[in-house]
Amino acid sequence: MPIENVILTTDNCRYCLMCRHVASIEHVTHRETLSPHGIALVIASVRRGLLQWNADTVDVIYSAADNGNSRAHCVFDQPLPEAIAAVRAEIVAQKLAPAVVYDLDARFNEWSTPFKQQKPQPVAGRGEVALFVGDEAQYLWPATVTAALALLKAVGIAPVLVGVGRSNGYLASSLGLPEIARRLAQATLADLETSRARRMLVLSPGDFFTFNQLYDERLGIEWPDSVQLSELTTFLADCLEGGEIKFKKTTQRSPYTYIDPTHAVRVPARHANPRRLLAGVMPGPARELFWRCERAHPVGSTALQFTQPEIAEKLTLARLEDARQSGAQMLISDDPGTLKCLGEKTGQFGLRVQGLYELLAEQLD
């Protein structure tokens, strides 16, 4: 779809309240301007000449979470997150974006990640199955990778590691840096071609969404038909059901809950899979949260961690408060970025964070 047509979807969203009940930013800021329809109204007003881009209006545009809730709850599938990303690209081109965006542009150019001054690792070896590591797992929650490899070894798979230390392209796209996002995407696809893999496993719904949907819709890049894309939770849940992997029950007795990661709403078919895996290792049922599954809110692991850190922190604290109210004492999730954000703030609530893959690896039978 041409970019202009994507941006014009804001005309359909500017007075619509269909997704307002799951609007995470409005939920934590109580600002109507930062609801999906409020942000769409600002964009539509600028395009009509009723407003102009200045510090205040740009601040509104860079306050959107880009985690998919608005589109997931739109019966007409309006691509508002894609429209906001396209508008941000226009703002960047006009040199009106927040200064941090241009700093991140330089970091992506030099290191392919905003998290560490280190270049991605080249692909080593070839094989039928690849595992996309990315930069969040490599730098924010590295225990994820160790545990994932142990779990795959248990089913007889030694994957080729792809994209080790490289962003998947989502953050760059979300910030309004589509050319950077395309270069990151092309580098990952080149790694995949080098690996000769016919299946690529990913560690989070954010990775799955980026490769399966964002590449096509925002960047005009097709995922290769010859490579099957699977999220690791889905793959392991199928292995458990088929008897290819077995777990023993943990002796852990603390009340627990599963935190649906940032971007989980963008992959609705995956909601049951981490819960199926937890049922195989935990002695009792989870305490389910209010903001879960199709209405799960993000933590502060989106681009907001750079452009609006105060809002990002509020999102994380709101998820922790939801968990506290459920009576859970242990929080389990599988996305490295989500785990990092939760882990930084759990001390304020007397809670404990546990990576799903690490828990499963510890309970291999």
Side-chain angles (χ1 to χ4, degrees):
M1 184 183 294
I3 290 298
E4 179 63 21
N5 290 353
V6 173
I7 295 175
L8 286 176
T9 64
T10 58
D11 281 359
N12 299 324
C13 298
R14 71 193 195 278
Y15 295 129
C16 179
L17 302 179
M18 189 181 299
C19 64
R20 187 175 181 274
H21 62 296
V22 292
S24 58
I25 304 303
E26 185 187 17
H27 176 71
V28 298
T29 64
H30 311 292
R31 289 182 58 191
E32 189 74 18
T33 307
L34 302 186
S35 68
H37 88 87
I39 293 171
L41 183 57
V42 169
I43 295 171
S45 297
V46 169
R47 299 183 78 78
R48 284 169 167 76
L50 302 174
L51 292 174
Q52 61 183 358
W53 293 129
N54 55 38
D56 290 337
T57 51
V58 167
D59 185 73
V60 168
I61 303 308
Y62 275 93
S63 295
D66 190 9
N67 69 292
N69 282 52
S70 59
R71 187 169 179 180
H73 285 261
C74 178
V75 73
F76 301 109
D77 193 32
Q78 292 293 307
L80 180 60
E82 285 60 48
I84 293 171
V87 169
R88 286 175 177 174
E90 291 186 346
I91 292 171
V92 169
Q94 295 175 42
K95 304 299 182 185
L96 297 173
V100 68
V101 175
Y102 301 102
D103 177 57
L104 290 165
D105 183 28
R107 283 192 251 172
F108 279 120
N109 262 312
E110 181 70 17
W111 309 109
S112 299
T113 175
F115 300 121
K116 192 167 185 178
Q117 294 184 3
Q118 184 171 313
K119 291 186 180 296
Q121 297 177 18
V123 173
R126 296 172 179 172
E128 284 293 313
V129 179
L131 175 68
F132 178 79
V133 175
D135 56 349
E136 290 191 347
Q138 181 71 0
Y139 301 131
L140 303 185
W141 203 269
T144 298
V145 183
T146 304
L149 291 175
L151 292 164
L152 290 171
K153 182 179 179 180
V155 295
I157 294 176
V160 182
L161 302 185
V162 167
V164 179
R166 181 189 302 113
S167 170
N168 60 21
Y170 157 77
L171 272 178
S173 167
S174 186
L175 287 162
L177 305 171
E179 291 308 314
I180 292 288
R182 287 189 186 94
R183 289 203 290 274
L184 293 168
Q186 289 160 354
T188 295
L189 292 177
D191 276 2
L192 189 56
E193 184 175 1
T194 299
S195 76
R196 297 192 178 179
R198 292 294 171 263
R199 181 174 199 164
M200 189 163 87
L201 299 168
V202 298
L203 297 168
S204 72
D207 289 334
F208 188 90
F209 159 72
T210 299
F211 298 138
N212 186 60
Q213 188 171 337
L214 185 149
Y215 275 18
D216 177 37
E217 291 187 346
R218 298 192 192 181
L219 308 179
I221 295 175
E222 293 185 4
W223 184 258
D225 291 334
S226 60
V227 180
Q228 180 183 357
L229 184 66
S230 303
E231 196 180 344
L232 185 56
T233 52
T234 300
F235 175 77
L236 292 174
D238 290 343
C239 287
L240 178 63
E241 185 174 332
E244 300 167 65
I245 193 169
K246 295 181 179 180
F247 303 105
K248 55 183 180 290
K249 294 284 186 177
T250 179
T251 57
Q252 156 68 35
R253 290 292 184 269
S254 299
Y256 73 96
T257 188
Y258 174 72
I259 302 283
D260 291 280
T262 299
H263 305 293
V265 297
R266 287 173 150 153
V267 192
R270 59 100 58 194
H271 294 326
N273 295 319
R275 291 168 170 83
R276 287 163 60 197
L277 291 167
L278 282 171
V281 299
M282 300 302 287
R287 305 285 183 93
E288 287 287 8
L289 306 187
F290 180 81
W291 298 105
R292 67 182 186 274
C293 298
E294 71 281 351
R295 60 173 181 259
H297 278 180
V299 297
S301 59
T302 67
L304 292 174
Q305 63 189 295
F306 304 106
T307 61
Q308 300 283 3
E310 291 184 3
I311 295 177
E313 181 180 27
K314 287 180 179 180
L315 287 172
T316 300
L317 294 176
R319 296 293 278 143
L320 288 165
E321 176 60 21
D322 192 12
R324 187 192 66 78
Q325 290 185 9
S326 77
Q329 295 175 7
M330 183 168 73
L331 316 184
I332 302 171
S333 196
D334 43 315
D335 165 49
T338 297
L339 288 164
K340 176 68 160 50
C341 287
L342 293 173
E344 290 176 339
K345 301 295 180 183
T346 48
Q348 300 180 30
F349 293 80
L351 304 173
R352 182 163 67 92
V353 173
Q354 169 74 62
L356 173 63
Y357 298 127
E358 297 96 284
L359 174 63
L360 294 174
E362 291 169 0
Q363 301 307 125
L364 279 169
D365 191 355

